[in-house]
């Protein structure tokens, strides 16, 4: 199910730095169709739940503080091979290791403040999309 969809967030650093438009342009130019999108802010609780898989990691508190400090853009994207192709488009977690031309290479500032999120599996794409959107917000 839903193997052609992924979920993304434009993170607070990229919003603060004025990169929403440029990032959406990269996403649509790469062939992704926006099927759901909203401008919103995560509460600390939302961020803790969203990144629960990382709760034992040393950077968890920093991650939750960062992800809840300002607005984000959340979106569900559609394209063949969406999860894998979107991870390629955004580049490595650490922008210092991200390939030329990737969104993180262009817009991220550090491994923690790395501009965008991309789901890592079809299963998580569905869970993360449902975390942010109801059925009537998906087109
Ligand atoms: P995301 O899930 O946000 O798309 P990712 O899958 O590339 O990123 P994960 O390993 O899932 O990377 O880490 C989730 C997020 O936690 C990273 O995007 C980054 O914001 C933060 N993070 C990861 N590693 C570190 C670290 N060593 N120090 C600080 N923050 C980190
Ligand atoms: Mg991840």
């Amino acid at each position: 199910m839903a193997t052609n969809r992924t979920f993304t967030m434009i993170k607070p650093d990229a919003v603060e730095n004025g990169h929403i438009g440029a990032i959406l342009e990269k996403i649509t130019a790469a062939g992704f169709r926006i099927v759901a999108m909203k401008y919103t802010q995560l509460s600390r609780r939302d961020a803790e739940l969203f990144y629960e898989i990382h709760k034992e990691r040393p950077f968890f508190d920093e991650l939750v503080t960062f992800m809840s400090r300002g607005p984000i853009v959340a979106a569900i994207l559609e394209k063949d091979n969406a999860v894998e192709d979107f991870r390629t488009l955004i580049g490595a977690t650490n922008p210092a290791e991200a390939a030329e031309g990737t969104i993180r290479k262009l817009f991220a500032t550090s491994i923690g403040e790395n501009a965008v999120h991309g789901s890592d599996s079809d299963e998580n794409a569905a869970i993360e999309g449902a975390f942010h959107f109801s059925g009537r917000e998906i087109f």
Side-chain angles (χ1 to χ4, degrees):
M1 268 292 287
T3 56
N4 59 343
R5 287 188 178 175
T6 192
F7 172 78
T8 187
M9 292 182 285
I10 301 177
K11 296 185 179 184
D13 61 321
V15 173
E16 289 160 10
N17 293 327
H19 297 317
I20 294 174
I23 291 172
L24 291 176
E25 172 59 25
K26 292 280 290 180
I27 290 171
T28 53
F32 291 88
R33 187 174 79 84
I34 295 166
V35 300
M37 186 163 70
K38 67 173 70 166
Y39 192 44
T40 185
Q41 182 165 358
L42 299 177
S43 66
R44 280 194 69 88
R45 186 70 190 133
D46 291 333
E48 284 169 4
L49 288 171
F50 190 90
Y51 281 110
E52 190 162 26
I53 191 171
H54 295 307
K55 67 174 181 291
E56 304 303 332
R57 309 282 285 276
F59 57 80
F60 183 68
D61 190 63
E62 181 189 334
L63 175 60
V64 167
T65 299
F66 162 56
M67 286 302 298
S68 60
R69 82 174 181 212
I72 61 158
V73 176
I76 299 173
L77 306 172
E78 190 171 79
K79 181 186 180 298
D80 289 347
N81 203 36
V83 167
E84 190 182 339
D85 286 2
F86 193 71
R87 298 285 302 197
T88 301
L89 179 68
I90 69 178
T93 307
N94 185 349
E97 292 163 12
E100 288 302 324
T102 59
I103 290 174
R104 282 170 168 164
K105 184 70 173 188
L106 290 166
F107 302 115
T109 46
S110 68
I111 189 169
E113 304 203 359
N114 59 7
V116 280
H117 164 79
S119 303
D120 60 12
S121 66
D122 291 336
E123 186 191 5
N124 284 336
I127 293 168
E128 292 168 1
F131 185 92
H132 284 273
F133 296 100
S134 66
R136 57 195 290 271
E137 296 175 304
I138 299 170
F139 300 94

